[in-house]
Amino acid sequence: EATCITEMSVMMACWKQNDFNDAACAEEIRMFYDCVAKAEKERKGQNEEDTMSPRGNLTSNQVNKLLRRFPQMTRYV
């Protein structure tokens, strides 16, 4: 899942307009890095949510998420 695409596009457009001068695009660069940090924090939080219990059991939400992610294809011939 792609994140921070808008922020990255704004940053790159600013660079192009200002001959790739970081100083002229400091605000856009900061916004992009803030977005990346926020997305990384959310991703780490999601990973903690996806971990199994010490006994190795999954919650029903975790099972449903995995089944949606890896659907079983069956063919009836």
Side-chain angles (χ1 to χ4, degrees), residues 1-12:
E1 182 176 319
T3 57
C4 303
I5 299 299
T6 303
E7 291 82 355
M8 183 171 48
S9 296
V10 170
M11 179 182 68
M12 290 180 159

Side-chain angles (χ1 to χ4, degrees), residues 32-50:
F32 173 69
Y33 281 121
D34 288 349
C35 180
V36 170
K38 181 180 175 188
E40 185 69 15
K41 184 178 178 183
E42 288 175 4
R43 186 186 63 81
K44 285 182 180 180
Q46 184 70 25
N47 283 345
E48 290 172 5
E49 214 176 81
D50 290 342

Side-chain angles (χ1 to χ4, degrees), residues 11-22:
M11 179 182 68
M12 290 180 159
C14 181
W15 275 339
K16 187 175 181 180
Q17 290 173 350
N18 294 291
D19 293 326
F20 300 95
N21 182 357
D22 283 348

Side-chain angles (χ1 to χ4, degrees), residues 56-74:
N57 297 332
L58 294 172
T59 66
S60 60
N61 287 339
Q62 291 169 325
V63 170
N64 288 332
K65 184 176 181 180
L66 286 171
L67 288 173
R68 276 192 305 273
R69 206 168 152 200
F70 302 103
Q72 298 297 310
M73 300 297 288
T74 56

